[in-house]
Amino acid sequence: MTELLSLENINTFYGPVQVHFDLSLTVGRGHIVCLLGGNASGKSTTMKIILGLVKPQSGIVRFDGQPATGLPTPQIVRRGVGSVPEARRLFGDMSVRENLLMGAFVRKDQKAIAEDLDRVLGLFPKLAERLAQRAGTLSGGEQQMVAMARALMGRPKLICMDEPTMGLSPLWVDRVLDLIAAINKEGVTVFMVEQNASLALEIAHHAYVLQTGRIVLQGPASQLRADPRIRDAYLGGQEAA
Amino acid sequence: MSSWIDYTVNGIIIGNIYALLAVGLALIFGVSRLINFAHGSVYVVGAYAGFLAVTHLGTPLPVTIALVVVVGALLGLVIERFGLRPLQGYAHIAPLLATIGISFVLDQLVQLFFTPDPRALPSSLLETRFQIGSGTIGALDLVIAAIGLASAGLLYTFLRYTRLGWAVRATAQDRDAAQQMGVDVDAVNRTVFAIASGLGAVSGLLVGMYYNYIDPAMSFQATLKGVVAQVVGGVGNVPGAIAGSLLLGLVESYGIALFGTSYRNLFAFVLLVAVLVWRPNGLFASKRQTPPEPMTGTFIAPSRPIQIPGKVLLAAAAVAALVPLVLPHPYVLQTLTNSWLYALLGLSLTLIAGTVGLVSLGHAALLAIGGYSSALLALNFGVPVGIAILSAGLIAALLGTVLVFPSFRLRGHYLSIATLAIGEIVSLVILNWEWLTRGPIGVSGIPSLSLFGIELDTDRSVYWFTLVLVIVLAALQLRLLGSHLGRVLRAVRDDDVAARSYGIRLDRYKALAFAFGSFAAGVSGGVTSHIYSYINHETFNAQLSILALTIVILGGMGNVTGAIVGSVLLVGLPEVFRVAAEYRVLIYGLVLLLLVRFRPQGLLGTV
């Protein structure tokens, strides 16, 4: 297995507060890797560091064999990192179609973009009916689909997803997880941050558990699924540390 | 007597000119959440660039317009570079204050190069007028309308069909998400500033040709008009800004028809305050709410105030009291007296903007209310000067609070704009309420200062009188800040939601602080009027409001000692070094700009 993304000894601060303590993790090419943890464990900040939205105080981010620490977000996106942000963050006043095309903003190959639009709509057939609708008027689950489709439109090597199942009904949670698996089958590496550990571990290959800025547990998802410590760690229990 | 058609045509043309301003402001607000107070300066620079082109190069109209667009766009890039980019991640009010600083600098530079005197900006168009019904429409009117339409069309095409236009829209809707799509939001900001400023500059050119008149002082009013039009249409809403501009143009034009020219701006600002209070999302807001404003706390950079021991403060007061004996030079005494008067204003604003977080941009209005109250009480009713000044403080406290009260539910930018508008309204009411205020003639022959029948006719006695006022009010304010009430006021500033959930009635506490602060400002205005012996509606102008804010930021928001120090430094020092008046505003602008950037907590730190 080759690695697509690695974080090495990341230390991050928000003002005087330290968020990450020597955080290291790797994401293998073609994998779904899951970062689990409770509130304020530093999950979302990890995502922001990968995307260049937050700069770590020290440590190295490597993407696709090249250092990517401290690069501005647009450059990181150009290198092949797509994002499904927390709470979707669609462009609410733009149509679904415009949202999807915004996903291909860094690309110039108009013909291939048009093909990808068809391909993505094949993956998310529901969206085909909604192309002209304002994105802000969709339901939460539909918005999540737009957000994922939008990320795919950039033809990323890696998609980062921040709590993709947050705020969705159980039915939609299953659907979204299936879609993530489907995206992954197409060859896209997925790094996702989740609170919903048991569900995320169903589709993930590998997982890390983050607790107040430190990795306290990691391993193949199949192992972690059976590990009683996962629940403790993720609920902030003391035994896990 | 012109016909209604003429007034309508005039309203639409003026509306077109406002639209060129307001659309730019809306675009800028959209992508950066900044109300660009330097926009009026771009407009003035555009007018003067056109003036130079027409009078010195003799350029034909299309070339002039192209030149003005380029000059405006370049200037926009400069404003973005210094006013916005270094301040990303600061409180949202910081870039707003920076653009105020930039506008002071630009306006003053224009004044230095071209003198404050008005110039004629001849339009090269024939004075042809076409008859329509009972009215007429001129060639220039048609040109302005065409430029307005063409700009709107170009802008629509840009936003709708170009890659960069999409990036602008995406950034306006969700800056972070746009970045995650690979949009370079800094490039978007630059583009938007260039476009907005290009349009703003053309607006200045057109208004200059329309009235065949330009002067550097048009800047502030232009910014205000643009802001009014934008707020009426809904901030950040481009089509709304156009609609708001046309509405504003028509309201002004019909208003002039019914009441006369001097009421013109009154309509604009009353419209603004009404919209802010009743429909803060604008008249044409979609169901979508405007993005929530940054919290009221706005500009409180975290800092530990520098503690000055009580002994040092007492010693400083003693030194100040001894100045007239050691340095009995009248010029020094008058300068320091002036500083003490501004210190009173600073005390007032530091409480309101610093301690409670209501960043008022119209504070000079309180001086005006105090000044006129004291002057008229003493003149018309023979009230003893001491009592007149005291009453002036009380009237300012009451009237100021009542006027601002409906705006207390506004936050951040909106409150600042409302106070700015209220300040302008007060000044316009003073101008128009002739039987009471004597209108444009002003009030002269105001009795000089006296206390208990004793004339304070020496520089020395006036100095001591104002110094005592500053010390007494400063001591009271320090007591207030140390009390339970002071803590409540800071709680209101730091987190109004939390404060409210503890059962604090925000409006009452804001009103209380505003009244206390207004009292000091009213007293300052009252004393000023008796020292000057003549005041008019321009004595306490909007520049003073900004000076007051600069004093307060220099000293440290909420910092009582800081307000006094800031006043001595900003008002006293330039006098002592005899800086020519025309450079002074330049200095104020630069100081404001540098402070916001490098020391937002001020010299002595925020409290």
Side-chain angles (χ1 to χ4, degrees), chain A residues 131-202:
Chain A
L131 277 180
Q133 198 169 327
R134 265 186 54 215
T137 61
L138 300 180
S139 76
E142 290 169 333
Q143 291 198 14
Q144 188 62 50
M145 293 208 299
V146 177
M148 293 200 295
R150 183 176 68 174
L152 276 179
M153 287 297 294
R155 278 206 184 165
K157 299 186 177 101
L158 169 75
I159 296 189
C160 294
M161 300 193 185
D162 199 345
E163 307 215 12
T165 65
M166 189 174 69
L168 299 184
S169 68
L171 186 69
W172 271 108
V173 169
D174 287 345
R175 248 186 240 174
V176 164
L177 290 176
D178 287 347
L179 281 168
I180 294 174
I183 290 171
N184 178 244
K185 285 232 169 61
E186 299 219 332
V188 183
T189 309
V190 175
F191 177 72
M192 61 191 268
V193 155
E194 259 299 346
Q195 288 211 30
N196 197 335
S198 53
L199 282 173
L201 287 173
E202 280 176 26

Side-chain angles (χ1 to χ4, degrees), chain A residues 51 53 73-74 77-78 83 85 89-94 98 101-103 105-108 134 150, chain B residues 160 163-164 166-167 169-171 173-185 286-288:
Chain A
L51 285 164
L53 293 166
T73 307
V77 174
R78 265 168 223 279
S83 158
R89 307 290 288 266
L90 297 186
F91 304 113
D93 276 350
M94 292 169 103
E98 287 176 317
L101 291 176
M102 270 313 291
F105 185 78
V106 293
R107 295 170 57 186
K108 299 254 160 71
R134 265 186 54 215
R150 183 176 68 174
Chain B
R160 199 89 212 169
R163 216 173 99 85
L164 200 51
W166 280 45
R169 284 163 62 210
T171 308
Q173 285 171 52
D174 191 328
R175 189 184 177 82
D176 280 357
Q179 254 182 318
Q180 290 173 39
M181 299 302 118
V183 173
D184 179 352
V185 290
S286 49
K287 295 133 284 172
R288 183 178 60 102

Side-chain angles (χ1 to χ4, degrees), chain B residues 205-287:
Chain B
L205 170 72
L206 294 180
V207 92
M209 294 195 315
Y210 191 67
Y211 292 116
N212 192 15
Y213 175 101
I214 56 175
D215 78 66
M218 315 189 295
S219 157
F220 186 59
Q221 288 299 329
T223 304
L224 289 181
K225 290 301 170 56
V227 168
V228 176
Q230 208 219 147
V231 171
V232 168
V235 272
N237 179 344
V238 171
I242 296 175
S245 301
L246 292 174
L247 180 68
L248 179 62
L250 287 171
V251 164
E252 280 191 14
S253 188
Y254 292 140
I256 291 171
L258 292 172
F259 299 98
T261 320
S262 63
Y263 282 89
R264 156 181 233 146
N265 294 335
L266 198 55
F267 294 112
F269 297 123
V270 170
L271 183 66
L272 174 66
V273 174
V275 169
L276 275 177
V277 170
W278 283 297
R279 293 290 301 270
N281 286 334
L283 294 182
F284 313 105
S286 49
K287 295 133 284 172

Side-chain angles (χ1 to χ4, degrees), chain B residues 231 272-281 293-296 357-358 404-419 422 496 507 510:
Chain B
V231 171
L272 174 66
V273 174
V275 169
L276 275 177
V277 170
W278 283 297
R279 293 290 301 270
N281 286 334
E293 259 302 282
M295 292 300 106
T296 351
L358 309 171
V404 180
F405 196 82
S407 312
F408 280 157
R409 63 203 184 104
L410 300 173
R411 294 167 147 209
H413 285 151
Y414 293 95
L415 179 100
S416 298
I417 296 172
T419 53
I422 292 166
D496 59 358
D507 282 2
K510 287 178 181 174

